Amino acid sequence: MKLLENKNIIVTGSCRGIGLATSQLFAQHGANLWLNGRDELALQTLSAKLTSQFKNNNHVCCFDVSVYDQVKNGFQSLFKQCKKLDVLVNNAGILDDALIGMVSQKQIAHTFSTNTYSVLYCSQYAQRLMIRNGGGSIINLASIVGVNGNAGQSVYAASKAAIIGATLSLSKELASANIRVNAIAPGFIDTDMARSIGDELYLQRVDSIAMKRVGKAQDIANTALYLASDLSSYVTGQVIGVDGGMLI
Ligand code: NDP
């Protein structure tokens, strides 16, 4: 059964990791996809690959989610192409950890503009399209670290905790327009981001997971599929942990 037929969906940061797994699963379920990222050529290649593999409709939507004017232009162009939007997955994000004594103002600004401001920018434009359409679903990628905190991750954790605050507030603000807003809080998922922390810390993190295995991008994509589909039509304002029982 295809769960996303006739749904217009934008996935930010769709070329790698969780965004890629989510885009592949959504394509498999028949979604009309707008693939976002910053590398136009990579997006075109992905679009062609998904179209040939899954026979769904794919479009390239190239913009930097941290730059307000680019987000605005991106959504305006999406609107010209399709007139309606059903699902936004706010997935794009960065990890740039440093101890609080060492972190630079530039790192703080870059982390917040990419991880947090982007969610507000994209949600603002997406909800305008969703309201015209009678509803929709916004899915935000938060983190277990945004819920529990972690030493050495104060900036990243704050940027993700803010997403949870935005999710809870938007779910209340937009419920009357039939727009559901939920967050996924992944634990430790095997992507470029997780690998970037180095082997020693990687093994420590895996050891802190009750299931004793790193998560797969597919584990997160499966939850995103549920939240994007009508299976979750009465679910809003939730932060769903997908972490294999990770202890942080
Ligand atoms: P990756 O680093 O593997 O991929 C991140 C994606 O985001 C890339 O496609 C990247 O594109 C894109 N991106 C980054 N900055 C921008 C930008 N300014 N504009 C548009 N796209 C951008 O990360 P993951 O797949 O691991 O993470 C996805 C989300 O899940 C993130 O929000 C992350 O914080 C969250 N998460 C991940 C966890 C994990 O363990 N992996 C745990 C908890 C949360 P490009 O190729 O251009 O860099």
Side-chain angles (χ1 to χ4, degrees), residues 12-20 36-39 63-67 90-95 110 113-115 118 141-145 156 160 163 184-194 214 217 220:
T12 68
S14 58
C15 279
R16 291 192 284 121
I18 292 168
L20 176 60
N36 163 264
R38 294 172 293 186
D39 180 342
F63 60 84
D64 184 327
V65 294
S66 69
V67 180
N90 278 314
N91 164 75
I94 54 162
L95 178 74
H110 189 215
S113 62
T114 307
N115 290 1
S118 65
L141 269 293
S143 168
I144 191 172
V145 172
Y156 180 76
K160 292 295 182 180
I163 291 178
I184 301 172
F188 193 52
I189 310 300
D190 200 5
T191 64
D192 294 344
M193 183 180 281
V214 65
I220 307 303

Side-chain angles (χ1 to χ4, degrees), residues 69-126:
D69 285 345
Q70 289 196 27
V71 173
K72 181 180 171 185
N73 292 338
F75 275 86
Q76 280 173 347
S77 126
L78 186 152
F79 175 63
K80 279 188 198 141
Q81 292 167 51
C82 71
K83 302 284 181 255
K84 80 163 184 127
L85 182 67
D86 298 288
V87 179
L88 160 67
V89 184
N90 278 314
N91 164 75
I94 54 162
L95 178 74
D96 188 10
D97 287 338
L99 297 171
I100 193 65
M102 303 297 288
V103 73
S104 69
Q105 190 273 338
K106 202 173 159 194
Q107 278 173 294
I108 296 172
H110 189 215
T111 299
F112 269 81
S113 62
T114 307
N115 290 1
T116 315
Y117 294 177
S118 65
V119 169
L120 297 169
Y121 298 162
C122 292
S123 299
Q124 180 179 64
Y125 282 99

Side-chain angles (χ1 to χ4, degrees), residues 8-229:
N8 292 350
I9 299 180
I10 178 167
V11 179
T12 68
S14 58
C15 279
R16 291 192 284 121
I18 292 168
L20 176 60
T22 301
S23 300
Q24 286 168 331
L25 187 63
F26 283 14
Q28 192 186 330
H29 278 269
N32 301 320
L33 276 182
W34 273 260
L35 302 160
N36 163 264
R38 294 172 293 186
D39 180 342
E40 180 132 28
L41 189 58
L43 289 168
Q44 278 165 357
T45 306
L46 174 62
S47 171
K49 203 172 159 196
L50 293 179
T51 304
S52 126
Q53 194 174 356
F54 300 110
K55 314 290 177 229
N56 67 314
N57 294 315
N58 298 288
H59 313 261
V60 165
C61 198
C62 186
F63 60 84
D64 184 327
V65 294
S66 69
V67 180
Y68 186 82
D69 285 345
Q70 289 196 27
V71 173
K72 181 180 171 185
N73 292 338
F75 275 86
Q76 280 173 347
S77 126
L78 186 152
F79 175 63
K80 279 188 198 141
Q81 292 167 51
C82 71
K83 302 284 181 255
K84 80 163 184 127
L85 182 67
D86 298 288
V87 179
L88 160 67
V89 184
N90 278 314
N91 164 75
I94 54 162
L95 178 74
D96 188 10
D97 287 338
L99 297 171
I100 193 65
M102 303 297 288
V103 73
S104 69
Q105 190 273 338
K106 202 173 159 194
Q107 278 173 294
I108 296 172
H110 189 215
T111 299
F112 269 81
S113 62
T114 307
N115 290 1
T116 315
Y117 294 177
S118 65
V119 169
L120 297 169
Y121 298 162
C122 292
S123 299
Q124 180 179 64
Y125 282 99
Q127 60 93 31
R128 288 185 188 155
L129 301 185
M130 289 172 179
I131 284 173
R132 299 168 65 105
N133 187 38
S137 171
I138 297 175
I139 302 163
N140 296 326
L141 269 293
S143 168
I144 191 172
V145 172
V147 180
N148 294 348
N150 194 28
Q153 294 202 285
S154 59
V155 178
Y156 180 76
S159 77
K160 292 295 182 180
I163 291 178
I164 293 172
T167 301
L168 300 180
S169 300
L170 288 173
S171 71
K172 292 181 166 73
E173 187 174 320
L174 300 176
S176 60
N178 196 32
I179 298 171
R180 301 182 294 105
V181 188
N182 294 287
I184 301 172
F188 193 52
I189 310 300
D190 200 5
T191 64
D192 294 344
M193 183 180 281
R195 295 274 169 190
S196 72
I197 66 175
D199 290 349
E200 197 181 330
L201 207 48
Y202 184 95
L203 292 175
Q204 272 177 32
R205 290 271 160 85
V206 175
D207 200 45
S208 73
I209 301 169
M211 293 182 78
K212 295 294 170 209
R213 74 163 176 89
V214 65
K216 300 184 190 115
Q218 185 73 33
D219 294 320
I220 307 303
N222 289 340
T223 306
L225 173 64
Y226 166 69
L227 291 173
S229 78

